[in-house]
Amino acid sequence: MRALRILLIVVVVLAGVFIAVDRAAVYFAESEVADRVVVSGTRIGSTDVSIKGFPFLTQLAGSEFDEVDVKITGIEATAGGRTLRISSMDAELRQVRLTDGFSGATAARADGTAVISYADLTKAASDGVVVAYGGNGKVKVTGAVTVPLLGRVTRSVLSTVTLVDGHTVRVHADKVPGEGIPGLEGLVREKTDFEREVGKLPNGLKLEKIQPTAAGLEISVTGTDVRLAG
């Protein structure tokens, strides 16, 4: 009985050591992967990586992880003369395989959400235009124009946001107040209606659907064979 107790104690101790080593290894790996995440042609602010599943070491030995969650903030690319910044993107990556001698990784599939804040959308709009949430899935766009005989006129419009060709955000006013004033609608739309490319995402990801919310423009993201790092 004494020998059995000693054996059980040894097993428990070894299990504890294995778990500690496994957790330490996963924390180190998450930090390393986060440092290596790149998005071609863009600047990114910060990256947070969480590797799921236990034990980690056996997954590492097989060079494949069941699930990796990634959060990237501040994806910034220049498109159409304006910088359109993705404020944040959360993605769940499945079947992530290490490549190139552990210097890169590719996910078999991915699902996530990208968010463009109204502050970032305002920066990408025309000069002097402010974009905010308008409620009921609309955005409110405010801008000032100079109208002959009337001078400087400010108008706020409720606009519909759509995704064009899977990579371009289109903001289009549903109606312009004061359409009876000659030339006013055209001048206002020149300010408030615009299209901007979202910019580059990690290779393999694509935009599926866009929805204005109080927090910003939420865009569904999916993909296959997604290049995560390297």
Side-chain angles (χ1 to χ4, degrees):
M1 290 296 294
R2 184 171 180 274
L4 180 59
R5 284 198 298 272
I6 293 174
L7 178 60
L8 289 175
I9 291 172
V10 171
V11 169
V12 170
V13 170
L14 289 177
V17 170
F18 175 77
I19 292 173
V21 171
D22 190 82
R23 293 301 87 192
V26 75
Y27 294 147
F28 175 78
E30 288 171 347
S31 177
E32 285 293 303
V33 172
D35 290 341
R36 296 183 183 184
V37 171
V38 293
V39 181
S40 178
T42 69
R43 297 188 300 271
I44 60 177
S46 63
T47 305
D48 183 67
V49 174
S50 177
I51 300 174
K52 305 298 184 180
F54 179 82
F56 163 76
L57 291 174
T58 57
Q59 296 184 79
L60 179 62
S63 299
E64 185 172 321
F65 305 115
D66 296 332
E67 179 184 345
V68 177
D69 293 347
V70 178
K71 180 180 180 66
I72 304 176
T73 60
I75 304 175
E76 196 169 292
T78 300
R82 294 277 177 169
T83 298
L84 182 54
R85 181 178 185 270
I86 297 176
S87 308
S88 65
M89 183 180 70
D90 293 278
E92 293 182 357
L93 310 175
R94 305 287 182 173
Q95 294 176 268
V96 180
R97 183 150 191 87
L98 299 175
T99 59
D100 303 328
F102 293 0
S103 65
T106 301
R109 62 186 189 279
D111 294 285
T113 301
V115 177
I116 299 174
S117 71
Y118 293 115
D120 284 326
L121 190 58
T122 294
K123 291 177 182 177
S126 300
D127 292 337
V129 167
V130 176
V131 186
Y133 184 53
N136 297 318
K138 303 286 185 178
V139 299
K140 182 174 75 171
V141 186
T142 303
V145 297
T146 301
V147 182
L149 302 181
L150 293 179
R152 199 71 171 165
V153 176
T154 298
R155 286 289 185 271
S156 291
V157 297
L158 287 178
S159 300
T160 297
V161 181
T162 54
L163 192 61
V164 181
D165 297 330
H167 56 74
T168 300
V169 172
R170 173 182 290 166
V171 179
H172 184 79
D174 297 342
K175 184 178 180 181
V176 176
E179 290 122 319
I181 302 174
L184 177 62
E185 180 175 3
L187 290 171
V188 171
R189 287 193 179 278
E190 284 181 10
K191 275 283 187 179
T192 61
D193 290 4
F194 60 93
E195 294 183 3
R196 296 289 184 269
E197 287 190 35
V198 174
K200 295 183 179 180
L201 291 172
N203 291 336
L205 281 180
K206 60 181 180 179
L207 307 178
E208 291 286 345
K209 183 177 65 175
I210 191 167
Q211 177 65 39
T213 71
L217 301 182
E218 292 190 356
I219 309 174
S220 299
V221 179
T222 63
T224 57
D225 296 327
V226 178
R227 185 72 172 175
L228 175 65

